[in-house]
């Protein structure tokens, strides 16, 4: 007899069940070992990045398998909002998907349809062939799939900022994530994600999400900003990444044992 399996709770489930801000980090190196190290850190969330990292479907699958043994929520960021890409990510077993650069209600609605089977969406039916259903070992997967997947969309432009509350209210959008770096660029303040106007914009999205009953998270590698956004009501905060931690820690070793390089620029935050 094959095992009958129940999937782990989704990101949406975890956000609903907690009474504190959740904290997470990005897995960007494309390494299952790195992802597993992150998963064992004690943080709540590991974000596997398919947008800005050199990884494909096989690497994402390996990272999901590596972190599965740990009590952490894995979220996979798609490279862009495309129903075919979402179908592939869901079928390989990503329960929690994040879509970047969602600028409108219509885009958000399209992404919802992309993660749902007909008649509520357009996700192709291939679960018997896929890890998502554990090859039909999750009972009633097709009927339950809508509740076994969570969708988060990113607010990263002034266009999205203008309708953030409406995007948050779209049925099937489980959470928002604000990207201050891209938002700053869209506001004409490239590289200035801690600029007061950008910070105020992030806090407006947090407030809009709370008004709609939708959790909002934010990237904030600066601990002071992370604490500020948590105080403002962010449901989750992404406070680092594997690659930036390695870069800064290795630089600190070089500074200590060799000496600081002359005129070395300060690293930019995410």
């Amino acid at each position: 007899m094959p095992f009958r399996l129940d999937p782990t709770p989704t990101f949406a489930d975890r956000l609903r069940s907690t009474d504190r801000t959740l904290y997470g980090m990005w897995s960007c190196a494309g390494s299952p070992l790195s992802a597993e190290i992150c998963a064992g850190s004690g943080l709540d969330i590991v974000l596997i990045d398919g947008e800005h990292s050199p990884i494909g479907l096989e690497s994402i699958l390996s990272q999901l398998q590596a972190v599965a043994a740990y009590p952490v929520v894995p979220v996979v960021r798609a490279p862009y909002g495309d129903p075919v890409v979402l179908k592939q990510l869901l079928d390989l077993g990503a329960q929690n998907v994040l879509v970047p650069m969602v600028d409108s209600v219509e885009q958000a609605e399209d992404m919802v349809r992309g993660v749902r089977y007909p008649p509520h969406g357009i996700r192709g039916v291939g679960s018997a062939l896929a890890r998502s259903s554990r090859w039909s070992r999750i009972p009633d997967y097709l009927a339950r799939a809508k509740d076994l997947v969570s969708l988060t969309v990113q607010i990263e432009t002034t266009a999205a900022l203008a309708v953030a509350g409406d995007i948050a209210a779209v049925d099937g959008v489980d959470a928002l994530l604000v990207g201050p770096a891209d938002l700053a660029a869209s506001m004409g303040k490239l590289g200035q994600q801690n600029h007061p106007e950008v910070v105020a914009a992030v806090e407006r999205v947090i407030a809009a999400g709370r008004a709609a009953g939708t959790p909002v998270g934010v990237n904030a590698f600066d601990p002071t900003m992370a604490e500020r956004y948590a105080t403002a009501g962010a449901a989750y905060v992404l406070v680092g990444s594997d690659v930036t931690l390695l870069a800064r820690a290795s630089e600190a070793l070089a500074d200590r044992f060799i000496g600081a390089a002359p005129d070395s620029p300060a690293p930019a935050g995410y």
Side-chain angles (χ1 to χ4, degrees), residues 94-128:
Q95 281 184 264
N96 311 297
V97 291
L98 168 65
V99 178
M101 293 289 182
V102 173
D103 289 342
S104 69
V105 168
E106 292 74 21
Q107 260 188 291
E109 291 172 340
D110 285 345
M111 296 306 97
V112 173
R113 285 190 287 272
V115 302
R116 291 182 173 179
Y117 290 123
H120 306 293
I122 59 171
R123 178 183 174 187
V125 181
S127 62

Side-chain angles (χ1 to χ4, degrees), residues 168 175-178 202 205-210 214-218 233-237:
L176 305 182
L177 174 64
V178 188
V202 172
V205 178
I206 293 171
R210 287 169 64 87
T214 300
V216 178
V218 60
Y236 63 103
V237 185

Side-chain angles (χ1 to χ4, degrees), residues 1 61 67 94 115 164 179 203 230:
M1 288 287 291
L61 172 59
V67 306
V115 302
E203 292 177 339

Side-chain angles (χ1 to χ4, degrees), residues 171-199:
D171 181 34
V173 170
D174 295 300
L176 305 182
L177 174 64
V178 188
D182 277 305
L183 183 57
S186 181
M187 295 173 67
K189 303 187 185 304
L190 181 64
Q192 302 177 64
Q193 51 265 44
N194 290 351
H195 188 283
E197 292 179 21
V198 178
V199 173

